[in-house]
Amino acid sequence: NAGVTQTPKFQVLKTGQSMTLQCAQDMNHNSMYWYRQDPGMGLRLIYYSASEGTTDKGEVPNGYNVSRLNKREFSLRLESAAPSQTSVYFCASSEGQGASNEKLFFGSGTQLSVL
Amino acid sequence: AQSVTQPDIHITVSEGASLELRCNYSYGATPYLFWYVQSPGQGLQLLLKYFSGDTLVQGIKGFEAEFKRSQSSFNLRKPSVHWSDAAEYFCAVGRRGFQKLVFGTGTRLLVSP
């Protein structure tokens, strides 16, 4: 019963390097989300995908790109990493977009450090 | 604009004692309200949610929360804390889809023996 799986769990990058964070869910959910979590701040939405084939910006999209590869997978790419992108990244999924009977399921996170 | 305030950054409670974590929100209409728990190294897990109806909401792991419209609050409570409850707790508010959900800054709960 995997749920939402994120890889890698930890990553250290140098400024200017690129990388892709992977996320996959096995619950046949339509919607997927990428958040970042910084000390003293709540989770902030980077991008989301309401359904396969669509993506939309969240609160803090600058410096990131996403791809909804298929219904299961939603990746987050940092093209040129900056120290300000040091954070813990969470992927989440939901069946729909937030009806009263739905809930968000979160992965266990990726801790990214940019030096 | 909607916002969520969790005024306590850290709280320490003795095992077996009662717990109340505070959450205040600002929202134009009656919001949907959520409490999530994040154990070390884990993602967030939903404890409970309020959408409408009874203002006292029961959740998992023995937690409950009460929606008080007059105080714009949605405080989380547990009558007897266990050591395994040590975690970070997030309140969230929103109504127009998960993409509009606003999270508080979190309260870290420490449980002392």
Side-chain angles (χ1 to χ4, degrees):
Chain A
N1 198 9
V4 179
T5 303
Q6 292 182 233
T7 56
K9 291 191 181 300
F10 302 94
Q11 184 71 49
V12 179
L13 293 177
K14 294 181 180 178
T15 297
Q17 287 185 316
S18 63
M19 81 159 295
T20 300
L21 280 64
Q22 307 286 355
C23 175
Q25 51 89 11
D26 62 2
M27 296 172 282
N28 201 37
H29 284 169
N30 291 302
S31 301
M32 297 185 73
Y33 312 80
W34 275 107
Y35 292 91
R36 60 178 288 172
Q37 182 182 36
D38 300 295
M41 305 187 76
L43 272 71
R44 293 182 293 169
L45 184 65
I46 304 171
Y47 271 94
Y48 69 100
S49 171
S51 61
E52 186 178 356
T54 69
T55 60
D56 284 287
K57 295 179 180 179
E59 180 185 355
V60 289
N62 291 345
Y64 305 96
N65 286 301
V66 290
S67 296
R68 184 74 182 267
L69 304 171
N70 48 56
K71 193 171 185 179
R72 290 187 63 248
E73 298 172 288
F74 187 40
S75 63
L76 178 72
R77 183 161 178 83
L78 287 69
E79 290 290 352
S80 179
S84 61
Q85 294 179 304
T86 293
S87 188
V88 180
Y89 292 85
F90 287 99
C91 178
S93 71
S94 61
E95 184 174 359
Q97 296 183 54
S100 60
N101 62 337
E102 295 173 357
K103 65 179 187 178
L104 281 171
F105 291 81
F106 285 85
S108 58
T110 296
Q111 189 162 337
L112 175 67
S113 294
V114 183
L115 307 177
Chain B
Q2 60 196 53
S3 66
V4 180
T5 301
Q6 292 182 249
D8 303 305
I9 298 174
H10 298 100
I11 282 186
T12 300
V13 174
S14 298
E15 189 168 16
S18 64
L19 169 70
E20 183 169 23
L21 301 182
R22 297 183 290 166
C23 173
N24 293 96
Y25 67 88
S26 173
Y27 199 80
T30 300
Y32 295 166
L33 295 156
F34 306 80
W35 274 102
Y36 288 85
V37 60
Q38 184 182 25
S39 298
Q42 301 297 315
L44 278 70
Q45 180 185 19
L46 180 68
L47 281 176
L48 48 79
K49 60 185 179 183
Y50 171 81
F51 280 81
S52 65
D54 193 347
T55 55
L56 186 61
V57 180
Q58 301 297 320
I60 62 172
K61 303 185 181 187
F63 286 91
E64 66 178 26
E66 186 171 12
F67 169 53
K68 293 186 177 180
R69 185 192 309 272
S70 62
Q71 298 177 20
S72 298
S73 68
F74 189 56
N75 294 349
L76 182 71
R77 301 193 295 245
K78 186 169 185 179
S80 178
V81 168
H82 187 262
W83 64 267
S84 60
D85 293 324
E88 189 146 21
Y89 292 80
F90 292 92
C91 182
V93 60
R95 190 179 178 94
R96 291 168 293 180
F98 288 133
Q99 69 274 19
K100 297 292 187 183
L101 207 58
V102 175
F103 288 84
T105 53
T107 297
R108 183 168 297 278
L109 173 65
L110 305 173
V111 180
S112 61

